[in-house]
Amino acid sequence: MTTQPLPETTIQQFKTSLRGQLIQPSDEEYESARRVYNGMIDKRPALIARCSNVADVITAINFACDQQLLLAVRGGGHNGGGLGTCDNGLVIDLARLHGIRVDPTARTVRVEGGCTWGDVDHATHAFGLATPSGIVSSTGVGGLTLGGGIGHLTRQCGLTIDNLLEVDIVLADGSFVTANAAQNADLFWAVRGGGGNFGVVTSFLFRLHPIQTVYGGPILWSMAQAADAMRFYRDFIASASADFNGWFAFMKVPPGPPFPEHLHAKTMCGMVCCYTGPLDKAEALFQPLRQFGPPALDFAGPLPYPALQSMFDSLLPAGMQWYWRADFVNELSDQAIALNVKYGAQIPTLLSQMHLYPIDGAAHRLGNGDTAFSYRDAKWAQVIVGVDPDPANNTKITSWSKDYWLALHPYSAGGAYVNFMMEEGQERVQATYRDNYARLAQIKARYDPDNLFRVNQNIKPAVT
Ligand SMILES: Cc1cc2nc3c(=O)[nH]c(=O)nc-3n(C[C@H](O)[C@H](O)[C@H](O)COP(=O)(O)OP(=O)(O)OC[C@H]3O[C@@H](n4cnc5c(N)ncnc54)[C@H](O)[C@@H]3O)c2cc1C
């Protein structure tokens, strides 16, 4: 890998070979172009290629290889560890690859590699259709999908990767291939959970579901009820039908409308729900949630699916400081609940939160080895997120996340969801892929033997 500055003529040649834009540190746009969603990440790439099409992606990959540059690939730029950028290398920024085509007859959507989930929801909702993603619409389709994809529709429709039918991908040698169940099936297996390790995905094909209006939103209780609420949640979700999804959270109530003033800035616990069954059955389904408590805040009701998907967007603009830790969880024992309540009550800043996402229901229809995502048998993905706009609070949010995680880790399933991890080293990556790691390493050796795609939760190529 080179760290020497490239000759200007080499850069100019690269620039003229792109339809998109090449940004260098001397350019006015460089400061904004180098930023990713997490304001804590402060990396300075040598070059940023805003690719306009697949040809640009091929050119950029070949350039990185020829010049021996470190290569980072940016989809939506949301990665907590800042894996969509790098120091001194080349960033392939896919944001301009944002074409979407819905096929309402086949119930599929083809999505280019730089789209956000808000782009996808907007396009599919017009047809009364949706595919599962996450819970914030500015998140990139690329990173979220390649890591697995956990969100409001996990119990109903499975992980995002369970609805992925095909990818177009540019490999480390610059070749372009399609991978699906019949073609390059090993690669298709690997990209469903293996992250950006295998190439740059220029388009995704997803299955769509007839989901338009859902019944959902947050229902919150006071922290005095937190232990009971968590136990109630554990039991409720275990027996809930698969058309109901609900994740548990500790959070502070935002200090402004539409939230009642007496709750402003209060730490609360609760569930964020999404029910996709017949609307006339919703009230009965939600009755036990409303009887337990009763809730201090109840915003659950019928709403368009994209409204639920973007409900938290305005609270979480790009550029804030983020530090998160995560684990999969099999069991919520009473001891684990007591520790969760202890640290949940200590949320250090207004936007810091803990989320516990169910990954059962439809996500359990596949086995651990059916895709690269190896924790199908876990019941939850937990994430402890320290967030604040002010870098002066970095120690505060980081210490809280780490302390909370350290206390709960012994009660976890061992590994974590790759999309909720920071850069935590090889041991953690292996703990996350478990029995799938060896197969992933073989596939990596086949498609990326020199580990060109290594700015990610890295799978090392197997030595053959
Ligand atoms: C506010 C917020 C909410 C979130 N909510 C959820 C959630 O509900 N559910 C969930 O599952 N996750 C969630 N996440 C985590 C999210 O899935 C990861 O941060 C993910 O990495 C983001 O993808 P991205 O494309 O935006 O990120 P980037 O930083 O652009 O990329 C992340 C990684 O993916 C690779 N990558 C991205 N696009 C491509 C591509 N087209 N081809 C090849 N490699 C690519 C990058 O190289 C990098 O290694 C959330 C994150 C944030 C910040």
Side-chain angles (χ1 to χ4, degrees), residues 371-452:
T371 63
F373 187 98
S374 77
Y375 266 97
R376 294 277 176 175
D377 52 347
K379 289 214 183 98
W380 290 278
Q382 178 165 32
V383 62
I384 302 151
V385 208
V387 191
D388 198 66
D390 188 354
N393 287 328
N394 282 0
T395 308
K396 210 176 180 182
I397 60 174
T398 306
S399 311
W400 173 74
S401 304
K402 282 185 183 162
D403 291 348
Y404 193 155
W405 180 83
L406 278 170
L408 265 299
H409 185 62
Y411 298 88
S412 78
Y417 174 39
V418 281
N419 275 341
F420 291 160
M421 278 163 58
M422 302 300 278
E423 286 195 86
E424 297 172 29
Q426 263 303 295
E427 214 177 285
R428 284 287 279 165
V429 177
Q430 295 201 14
T432 280
Y433 289 113
R434 301 200 282 188
D435 294 347
N436 289 342
Y437 190 87
R439 185 173 172 197
L440 282 164
Q442 292 289 346
I443 298 170
K444 176 82 172 172
R446 179 165 175 211
Y447 290 98
D448 183 15
D450 298 326
N451 205 4
L452 176 70

Coordinates of all heavy atoms in Angstrom, one line a residue, residues 371-452:
T371 N -27.1 -18.3 5.3 CA -26.5 -17.1 4.8 C -25.3 -16.8 5.7 O -25.1 -17.5 6.7 CB -27.4 -15.9 4.9 OG1 -27.7 -15.6 6.2 CG2 -28.7 -16.1 4.1
A372 N -24.5 -15.8 5.3 CA -23.3 -15.5 6.2 C -23.7 -15.0 7.6 O -22.9 -15.1 8.5 CB -22.4 -14.5 5.4
F373 N -24.9 -14.5 7.7 CA -25.3 -14.0 9.0 C -25.5 -15.2 10.0 O -26.4 -16.0 9.8 CB -26.7 -13.3 8.8 CG -27.2 -12.5 10.0 CD1 -27.0 -11.2 10.2 CD2 -27.9 -13.2 11.0 CE1 -27.5 -10.5 11.3 CE2 -28.4 -12.6 12.1 CZ -28.2 -11.2 12.2
S374 N -24.7 -15.3 11.0 CA -24.6 -16.6 11.6 C -25.3 -16.6 13.0 O -25.2 -17.6 13.7 CB -23.1 -16.9 11.9 OG -22.6 -16.1 13.0
Y375 N -26.0 -15.6 13.3 CA -26.7 -15.6 14.6 C -28.2 -15.7 14.5 O -29.0 -15.0 15.2 CB -26.3 -14.4 15.5 CG -25.1 -14.7 16.4 CD1 -23.8 -14.4 16.1 CD2 -25.3 -15.3 17.6 CE1 -22.8 -14.6 16.9 CE2 -24.3 -15.6 18.5 CZ -23.0 -15.2 18.1 OH -22.0 -15.5 19.0
R376 N -28.7 -16.5 13.6 CA -30.1 -16.7 13.4 C -30.8 -17.1 14.6 O -32.0 -16.9 14.9 CB -30.4 -17.7 12.3 CG -29.9 -17.3 11.0 CD -30.9 -16.5 10.3 NE -30.4 -16.0 9.1 CZ -31.1 -15.3 8.2 NH1 -32.4 -14.9 8.5 NH2 -30.6 -14.9 7.1
D377 N -30.1 -17.9 15.4 CA -30.8 -18.5 16.6 C -30.8 -17.6 17.8 O -31.5 -17.9 18.8 CB -30.0 -19.8 17.0 CG -28.5 -19.6 17.1 OD1 -28.0 -18.6 16.7 OD2 -27.9 -20.5 17.7
A378 N -30.2 -16.4 17.7 CA -30.3 -15.5 18.8 C -31.7 -14.9 18.8 O -32.4 -14.9 17.8 CB -29.3 -14.4 18.6
K379 N -32.1 -14.3 19.9 CA -33.5 -13.8 20.0 C -33.4 -12.3 19.8 O -34.4 -11.7 19.3 CB -34.1 -14.1 21.4 CG -34.4 -15.6 21.5 CD -35.7 -15.7 22.4 CE -36.1 -17.2 22.6 NZ -35.6 -17.7 23.9
W380 N -32.3 -11.6 20.2 CA -32.3 -10.2 20.1 C -30.9 -9.7 19.6 O -29.9 -10.4 19.9 CB -32.5 -9.5 21.4 CG -33.9 -9.6 21.9 CD1 -35.0 -8.8 21.5 CD2 -34.4 -10.5 22.9 NE1 -36.1 -9.2 22.2 CE2 -35.8 -10.2 23.1 CE3 -33.8 -11.5 23.7 CZ2 -36.6 -10.9 24.0 CZ3 -34.6 -12.2 24.5 CH2 -36.0 -11.9 24.7
A381 N -30.9 -8.6 19.0 CA -29.6 -7.8 18.7 C -29.7 -6.6 19.6 O -30.6 -5.8 19.5 CB -29.4 -7.4 17.3
Q382 N -28.7 -6.5 20.6 CA -28.8 -5.3 21.5 C -27.7 -4.3 21.0 O -26.6 -4.7 20.6 CB -28.4 -5.8 22.9 CG -28.4 -4.6 23.9 CD -28.5 -5.1 25.3 OE1 -28.0 -6.2 25.7 NE2 -29.0 -4.3 26.2
V383 N -28.1 -3.1 21.1 CA -27.1 -2.0 20.8 C -27.2 -0.9 21.9 O -28.3 -0.5 22.2 CB -27.2 -1.5 19.4 CG1 -28.5 -0.9 19.1 CG2 -26.1 -0.5 19.0
I384 N -26.0 -0.5 22.4 CA -26.0 0.5 23.4 C -25.3 1.7 22.7 O -24.1 1.6 22.3 CB -25.1 0.1 24.6 CG1 -25.7 -1.2 25.2 CG2 -25.0 1.2 25.6 CD1 -24.7 -2.1 25.8
V385 N -26.1 2.8 22.5 CA -25.6 3.9 21.6 C -25.4 5.2 22.4 O -26.4 5.8 22.9 CB -26.6 4.2 20.5 CG1 -25.9 4.7 19.3 CG2 -27.4 3.0 20.1
G386 N -24.2 5.6 22.5 CA -23.9 7.0 23.1 C -23.9 8.0 22.0 O -23.2 7.8 21.0
V387 N -24.8 9.0 22.1 CA -24.9 10.0 21.0 C -25.0 11.4 21.6 O -25.7 11.6 22.6 CB -26.2 9.8 20.2 CG1 -26.2 10.7 18.9 CG2 -26.5 8.4 19.8
D388 N -24.3 12.3 21.0 CA -24.4 13.7 21.5 C -23.9 14.7 20.4 O -22.9 14.3 19.7 CB -23.6 13.9 22.8 CG -24.1 15.2 23.5 OD1 -25.3 15.3 23.9 OD2 -23.3 16.2 23.5
P389 N -24.4 15.9 20.3 CA -23.9 16.8 19.3 C -22.5 17.3 19.7 O -21.7 17.8 18.8 CB -24.9 17.9 19.2 CG -25.9 17.7 20.3 CD -25.6 16.4 20.9
D390 N -22.2 17.3 21.0 CA -21.0 18.1 21.5 C -19.8 17.1 21.7 O -19.9 16.3 22.6 CB -21.4 18.8 22.8 CG -20.3 19.7 23.3 OD1 -19.2 19.7 22.7 OD2 -20.5 20.4 24.3
P391 N -18.7 17.3 21.0 CA -17.5 16.5 21.2 C -17.0 16.5 22.6 O -16.3 15.6 23.1 CB -16.5 17.0 20.2 CG -17.3 17.8 19.2 CD -18.5 18.3 19.9
A392 N -17.4 17.6 23.3 CA -16.9 17.6 24.7 C -17.5 16.5 25.6 O -17.0 16.2 26.7 CB -17.3 19.0 25.3
N393 N -18.6 15.9 25.1 CA -19.2 14.8 25.8 C -18.8 13.4 25.4 O -19.4 12.4 25.8 CB -20.7 14.9 25.7 CG -21.3 16.1 26.6 OD1 -20.7 16.4 27.6 ND2 -22.3 16.7 26.1
N394 N -17.7 13.4 24.6 CA -17.3 12.1 24.0 C -16.9 11.1 25.1 O -17.3 9.9 25.0 CB -16.2 12.2 23.0 CG -16.7 12.7 21.7 OD1 -17.9 12.9 21.5 ND2 -15.8 12.9 20.7
T395 N -16.2 11.5 26.1 CA -15.8 10.6 27.1 C -17.0 10.0 27.9 O -17.1 8.8 28.1 CB -14.9 11.3 28.1 OG1 -13.8 11.9 27.4 CG2 -14.2 10.3 29.1
K396 N -17.9 10.9 28.1 CA -19.2 10.6 28.8 C -20.0 9.5 28.1 O -20.3 8.5 28.6 CB -20.0 11.8 28.9 CG -20.9 12.0 30.1 CD -21.5 13.4 29.9 CE -22.5 13.7 31.0 NZ -23.1 15.1 30.7
I397 N -20.2 9.7 26.8 CA -21.0 8.7 26.0 C -20.2 7.4 25.8 O -20.8 6.4 25.8 CB -21.5 9.3 24.7 CG1 -20.4 9.8 23.7 CG2 -22.5 10.5 24.9 CD1 -20.9 10.2 22.3
T398 N -18.9 7.6 25.6 CA -18.1 6.4 25.3 C -18.0 5.5 26.6 O -18.2 4.3 26.5 CB -16.7 6.8 24.8 OG1 -16.9 7.6 23.7 CG2 -15.9 5.6 24.4
S399 N -17.8 6.1 27.7 CA -17.6 5.4 29.0 C -19.0 4.7 29.3 O -19.0 3.5 29.7 CB -17.3 6.3 30.2 OG -16.2 7.1 29.8
W400 N -20.1 5.4 29.1 CA -21.4 4.8 29.4 C -21.6 3.5 28.6 O -21.9 2.5 29.1 CB -22.5 5.8 29.2 CG -23.9 5.2 29.4 CD1 -24.5 4.8 30.5 CD2 -24.8 4.9 28.3 NE1 -25.7 4.3 30.3 CE2 -25.9 4.3 28.9 CE3 -24.8 5.0 26.9 CZ2 -27.1 3.9 28.2 CZ3 -25.9 4.6 26.2 CH2 -27.0 4.1 26.8
S401 N -21.3 3.7 27.2 CA -21.6 2.5 26.3 C -20.7 1.4 26.7 O -21.1 0.2 26.8 CB -21.2 2.9 24.9 OG -22.0 4.0 24.5
K402 N -19.4 1.7 27.0 CA -18.5 0.6 27.3 C -18.8 -0.1 28.6 O -18.8 -1.3 28.7 CB -17.0 1.1 27.4 CG -16.4 1.4 26.0 CD -15.0 1.8 26.2 CE -14.3 2.2 24.9 NZ -13.1 3.0 25.0
D403 N -19.1 0.7 29.6 CA -19.4 0.1 31.0 C -20.7 -0.7 30.9 O -20.8 -1.8 31.5 CB -19.6 1.2 32.0 CG -18.3 1.9 32.3 OD1 -17.3 1.4 31.9 OD2 -18.4 3.0 32.9
Y404 N -21.7 -0.2 30.2 CA -23.0 -0.9 30.0 C -22.7 -2.3 29.3 O -23.1 -3.3 29.8 CB -23.9 -0.1 29.2 CG -25.4 -0.4 29.1 CD1 -26.3 0.5 28.9 CD2 -25.8 -1.8 29.3 CE1 -27.7 0.2 28.8 CE2 -27.2 -2.1 29.2 CZ -28.1 -1.1 28.9 OH -29.4 -1.4 28.8
W405 N -21.9 -2.2 28.2 CA -21.6 -3.4 27.4 C -20.8 -4.4 28.3 O -21.1 -5.6 28.3 CB -20.8 -3.0 26.2 CG -20.5 -4.2 25.3 CD1 -21.3 -4.8 24.4 CD2 -19.3 -4.9 25.3 NE1 -20.6 -5.8 23.8 CE2 -19.4 -6.0 24.4 CE3 -18.1 -4.8 26.0 CZ2 -18.4 -6.9 24.1 CZ3 -17.1 -5.7 25.8 CH2 -17.2 -6.7 24.8
L406 N -19.8 -3.9 29.0 CA -19.0 -4.8 29.8 C -19.8 -5.6 30.8 O -19.6 -6.8 31.1 CB -17.9 -4.0 30.5 CG -16.6 -3.7 29.7 CD1 -15.7 -2.7 30.4 CD2 -15.9 -5.0 29.3
A407 N -20.8 -4.9 31.4 CA -21.6 -5.5 32.5 C -22.5 -6.5 31.9 O -22.8 -7.6 32.5 CB -22.4 -4.4 33.2
L408 N -23.0 -6.3 30.6 CA -24.0 -7.2 30.0 C -23.4 -8.3 29.2 O -24.0 -9.3 28.9 CB -25.0 -6.4 29.2 CG -26.3 -6.0 29.9 CD1 -27.1 -7.2 30.3 CD2 -26.1 -5.1 31.1
H409 N -22.1 -8.1 28.7 CA -21.5 -9.0 27.8 C -21.5 -10.5 28.3 O -21.8 -11.4 27.6 CB -20.1 -8.6 27.5 CG -19.4 -9.5 26.4 ND1 -19.9 -9.6 25.2 CD2 -18.3 -10.3 26.5 CE1 -19.2 -10.5 24.5 NE2 -18.2 -10.9 25.3
P410 N -21.3 -10.7 29.6 CA -21.3 -12.1 30.1 C -22.7 -12.8 29.9 O -22.8 -14.0 29.9 CB -21.0 -12.0 31.6 CG -20.3 -10.7 31.7 CD -20.8 -9.8 30.7
Y411 N -23.7 -12.0 29.8 CA -25.1 -12.5 29.6 C -25.5 -12.6 28.1 O -26.6 -12.9 27.8 CB -26.1 -11.6 30.3 CG -25.9 -11.6 31.8 CD1 -25.0 -10.6 32.3 CD2 -26.5 -12.5 32.7 CE1 -24.8 -10.5 33.7 CE2 -26.2 -12.4 34.0 CZ -25.4 -11.5 34.5 OH -25.1 -11.4 35.9
S412 N -24.5 -12.3 27.2 CA -24.8 -12.2 25.8 C -24.6 -13.6 25.2 O -24.1 -14.5 25.8 CB -24.0 -11.2 25.1 OG -22.7 -11.7 24.9
A413 N -24.9 -13.6 23.8 CA -24.6 -14.8 23.1 C -23.2 -14.9 22.6 O -22.8 -15.9 21.9 CB -25.6 -14.9 21.9
G414 N -22.4 -13.9 22.8 CA -21.0 -13.9 22.4 C -20.6 -12.9 21.4 O -19.7 -12.0 21.6
G415 N -21.2 -13.0 20.2 CA -20.8 -12.1 19.1 C -21.8 -11.0 19.0 O -22.8 -10.9 19.7
A416 N -21.5 -10.1 18.0 CA -22.4 -8.9 17.8 C -22.8 -8.8 16.4 O -22.1 -9.3 15.5 CB -21.7 -7.7 18.3
Y417 N -23.9 -8.1 16.1 CA -24.3 -7.7 14.8 C -23.3 -6.8 14.2 O -23.0 -5.8 14.7 CB -25.7 -7.1 14.9 CG -26.2 -6.5 13.6 CD1 -26.1 -7.2 12.4 CD2 -27.0 -5.3 13.6 CE1 -26.6 -6.7 11.2 CE2 -27.5 -4.8 12.4 CZ -27.3 -5.5 11.2 OH -27.9 -5.0 10.0
V418 N -22.7 -7.2 13.0 CA -21.6 -6.4 12.4 C -21.9 -4.9 12.2 O -21.1 -4.1 12.3 CB -21.0 -7.0 11.1 CG1 -20.1 -8.1 11.3 CG2 -22.2 -7.3 10.1
N419 N -23.2 -4.7 11.9 CA -23.5 -3.3 11.6 C -23.7 -2.4 12.9 O -23.9 -1.2 12.8 CB -24.9 -3.2 10.9 CG -24.6 -3.4 9.4 OD1 -23.5 -3.2 8.9 ND2 -25.7 -3.7 8.6
F420 N -23.6 -3.1 14.1 CA -23.6 -2.3 15.3 C -22.3 -2.3 16.0 O -22.2 -2.0 17.2 CB -24.7 -2.9 16.3 CG -26.1 -2.7 15.9 CD1 -27.1 -3.6 16.4 CD2 -26.5 -1.7 15.0 CE1 -28.4 -3.4 16.0 CE2 -27.8 -1.6 14.6 CZ -28.8 -2.4 15.1
M421 N -21.2 -2.7 15.3 CA -19.9 -2.7 15.9 C -19.1 -1.6 15.5 O -19.2 -1.0 14.4 CB -19.2 -4.0 15.5 CG -19.6 -5.2 16.3 SD -19.2 -6.8 15.5 CE -17.4 -6.7 15.3
M422 N -18.2 -1.2 16.4 CA -17.1 -0.2 16.0 C -16.0 -1.1 15.5 O -16.1 -2.2 15.2 CB -16.6 0.5 17.3 CG -17.7 1.3 18.0 SD -18.5 2.6 17.0 CE -17.3 3.9 17.2
E423 N -14.8 -0.5 15.3 CA -13.6 -1.3 14.9 C -13.1 -2.0 16.2 O -12.5 -1.4 17.0 CB -12.6 -0.4 14.3 CG -12.9 0.0 12.9 CD -11.8 0.6 12.1 OE1 -11.1 -0.2 11.5 OE2 -11.6 1.8 12.2
E424 N -13.4 -3.3 16.3 CA -13.1 -4.0 17.6 C -12.2 -5.1 17.5 O -12.0 -5.9 18.4 CB -14.5 -4.4 18.2 CG -15.4 -3.2 18.5 CD -16.8 -3.7 18.9 OE1 -17.0 -4.8 19.5 OE2 -17.8 -2.9 18.7
G425 N -11.6 -5.3 16.3 CA -10.5 -6.3 16.1 C -11.0 -7.6 15.6 O -12.2 -7.9 15.6
Q426 N -10.1 -8.4 15.1 CA -10.4 -9.7 14.5 C -11.2 -10.7 15.4 O -12.0 -11.4 14.9 CB -9.1 -10.4 14.1 CG -8.7 -10.1 12.6 CD -9.8 -10.6 11.7 OE1 -10.1 -11.7 11.5 NE2 -10.4 -9.6 11.0
E427 N -10.8 -10.7 16.6 CA -11.5 -11.7 17.5 C -13.0 -11.5 17.5 O -13.8 -12.4 17.5 CB -10.9 -11.4 19.0 CG -10.8 -12.7 19.8 CD -10.2 -12.4 21.1 OE1 -9.0 -12.2 21.2 OE2 -11.0 -12.3 22.1
R428 N -13.4 -10.2 17.6 CA -14.8 -9.9 17.6 C -15.5 -10.2 16.2 O -16.6 -10.7 16.2 CB -15.0 -8.4 17.9 CG -14.8 -8.0 19.3 CD -16.0 -8.5 20.2 NE -17.1 -7.6 20.2 CZ -18.3 -8.0 20.6 NH1 -18.5 -9.2 21.1 NH2 -19.3 -7.1 20.6
V429 N -14.7 -10.0 15.1 CA -15.3 -10.3 13.8 C -15.5 -11.8 13.7 O -16.6 -12.3 13.3 CB -14.3 -9.9 12.7 CG1 -14.9 -10.3 11.3 CG2 -14.1 -8.4 12.7
Q430 N -14.5 -12.6 14.2 CA -14.7 -14.1 14.2 C -15.8 -14.5 15.1 O -16.5 -15.5 14.8 CB -13.3 -14.7 14.5 CG -12.3 -14.4 13.5 CD -11.2 -15.4 13.5 OE1 -11.2 -16.5 14.1 NE2 -10.1 -15.1 12.8
A431 N -15.9 -13.9 16.3 CA -17.0 -14.3 17.2 C -18.3 -14.0 16.6 O -19.3 -14.7 16.9 CB -16.8 -13.5 18.5
T432 N -18.4 -13.1 15.7 CA -19.7 -12.7 15.0 C -20.0 -13.7 13.9 O -21.2 -14.0 13.7 CB -19.5 -11.3 14.6 OG1 -19.7 -10.5 15.7 CG2 -20.5 -10.9 13.5
Y433 N -19.0 -14.2 13.2 CA -19.3 -15.1 12.1 C -19.3 -16.5 12.5 O -19.7 -17.4 11.7 CB -18.4 -14.8 10.9 CG -18.8 -13.5 10.2 CD1 -17.9 -12.4 10.2 CD2 -20.0 -13.3 9.6 CE1 -18.3 -11.2 9.6 CE2 -20.4 -12.1 9.0 CZ -19.5 -11.1 9.0 OH -19.9 -9.9 8.4
R434 N -18.7 -16.8 13.6 CA -18.7 -18.2 14.2 C -18.4 -19.2 13.1 O -17.4 -19.1 12.4 CB -20.1 -18.5 14.9 CG -20.4 -17.6 16.0 CD -21.5 -18.2 16.8 NE -22.8 -18.1 16.3 CZ -23.9 -18.5 16.9 NH1 -23.8 -18.9 18.2 NH2 -25.1 -18.4 16.4
D435 N -19.2 -20.2 13.0 CA -18.9 -21.4 12.1 C -18.9 -20.9 10.6 O -18.4 -21.7 9.8 CB -20.0 -22.5 12.3 CG -19.9 -23.1 13.7 OD1 -18.9 -22.8 14.3 OD2 -20.8 -23.8 14.1
N436 N -19.4 -19.8 10.3 CA -19.4 -19.3 8.9 C -18.1 -18.7 8.5 O -17.9 -18.4 7.4 CB -20.6 -18.3 8.7 CG -21.9 -19.0 8.7 OD1 -22.0 -20.3 8.6 ND2 -23.0 -18.3 8.9
Y437 N -17.3 -18.4 9.5 CA -16.0 -17.6 9.2 C -15.1 -18.4 8.2 O -14.7 -17.8 7.2 CB -15.3 -17.3 10.5 CG -14.2 -16.3 10.2 CD1 -14.4 -14.9 10.2 CD2 -12.9 -16.7 9.8 CE1 -13.4 -14.0 9.9 CE2 -11.9 -15.8 9.5 CZ -12.2 -14.4 9.6 OH -11.2 -13.5 9.2
A438 N -14.9 -19.7 8.4 CA -14.0 -20.4 7.6 C -14.5 -20.4 6.1 O -13.7 -20.2 5.2 CB -13.9 -21.8 8.1
R439 N -15.8 -20.6 5.9 CA -16.4 -20.5 4.6 C -16.2 -19.1 3.9 O -15.9 -19.0 2.8 CB -17.8 -21.0 4.6 CG -18.4 -21.1 3.2 CD -19.8 -21.7 3.3 NE -20.4 -21.7 1.9 CZ -21.7 -21.8 1.7 NH1 -22.5 -22.1 2.7 NH2 -22.2 -21.8 0.5
L440 N -16.5 -18.1 4.8 CA -16.3 -16.8 4.3 C -14.9 -16.5 3.9 O -14.6 -15.8 2.8 CB -16.7 -15.8 5.4 CG -18.3 -15.6 5.6 CD1 -18.6 -14.9 6.9 CD2 -18.8 -14.8 4.4
A441 N -13.9 -17.0 4.6 CA -12.5 -16.8 4.3 C -12.1 -17.5 3.0 O -11.3 -16.9 2.2 CB -11.6 -17.3 5.5
Q442 N -12.7 -18.6 2.8 CA -12.5 -19.3 1.5 C -13.0 -18.5 0.3 O -12.4 -18.4 -0.7 CB -13.2 -20.7 1.5 CG -12.6 -21.7 2.4 CD -11.3 -22.2 2.0 OE1 -10.9 -22.0 0.9 NE2 -10.5 -22.9 2.9
I443 N -14.2 -18.0 0.5 CA -14.9 -17.2 -0.6 C -14.1 -15.9 -0.8 O -13.9 -15.5 -1.9 CB -16.4 -17.0 -0.3 CG1 -17.1 -18.3 -0.2 CG2 -17.0 -16.1 -1.3 CD1 -18.5 -18.3 0.3
K444 N -13.6 -15.3 0.3 CA -12.8 -14.1 0.2 C -11.6 -14.4 -0.6 O -11.2 -13.6 -1.5 CB -12.5 -13.6 1.6 CG -11.6 -12.4 1.7 CD -12.3 -11.1 1.6 CE -11.4 -10.0 1.9 NZ -12.0 -8.7 1.5
A445 N -10.9 -15.5 -0.3 CA -9.7 -15.9 -1.1 C -10.0 -16.0 -2.6 O -9.1 -15.7 -3.4 CB -9.1 -17.2 -0.5
R446 N -11.2 -16.5 -2.9 CA -11.5 -16.7 -4.3 C -11.7 -15.3 -5.0 O -11.3 -15.1 -6.1 CB -12.7 -17.6 -4.4 CG -13.2 -17.8 -5.8 CD -14.1 -19.0 -5.9 NE -14.6 -19.1 -7.3 CZ -15.7 -19.5 -7.6 NH1 -16.6 -19.9 -6.8 NH2 -16.1 -19.5 -8.9
Y447 N -12.5 -14.4 -4.3 CA -12.9 -13.2 -5.0 C -12.0 -12.0 -4.7 O -12.1 -11.0 -5.4 CB -14.4 -12.9 -4.6 CG -15.3 -13.9 -5.3 CD1 -15.8 -15.0 -4.5 CD2 -15.7 -13.8 -6.6 CE1 -16.7 -15.9 -5.1 CE2 -16.6 -14.7 -7.2 CZ -17.1 -15.7 -6.4 OH -17.9 -16.6 -7.0
D448 N -11.3 -12.0 -3.5 CA -10.5 -10.9 -3.2 C -9.3 -11.3 -2.5 O -9.0 -11.1 -1.3 CB -11.3 -9.9 -2.3 CG -10.6 -8.6 -1.9 OD1 -9.5 -8.3 -2.6 OD2 -11.0 -7.9 -1.0
P449 N -8.4 -12.1 -3.2 CA -7.3 -12.8 -2.5 C -6.3 -11.8 -1.9 O -5.6 -12.1 -0.9 CB -6.6 -13.5 -3.7 CG -7.1 -12.9 -5.0 CD -8.5 -12.4 -4.6
D450 N -6.2 -10.5 -2.4 CA -5.2 -9.6 -1.8 C -5.9 -8.7 -0.8 O -5.3 -7.7 -0.4 CB -4.6 -8.7 -3.0 CG -3.8 -9.6 -3.9 OD1 -3.2 -10.6 -3.4 OD2 -3.8 -9.3 -5.1
N451 N -7.1 -9.0 -0.5 CA -7.9 -8.2 0.6 C -7.9 -6.7 0.2 O -7.7 -5.8 1.1 CB -7.2 -8.4 1.9 CG -8.2 -8.2 3.1 OD1 -9.4 -7.9 2.8 ND2 -7.7 -8.2 4.3
L452 N -8.3 -6.4 -1.0 CA -8.4 -5.0 -1.5 C -9.6 -4.4 -0.6 O -9.4 -3.2 -0.2 CB -8.8 -5.0 -3.0 CG -9.1 -3.6 -3.5 CD1 -7.9 -2.7 -3.5 CD2 -9.8 -3.6 -4.9

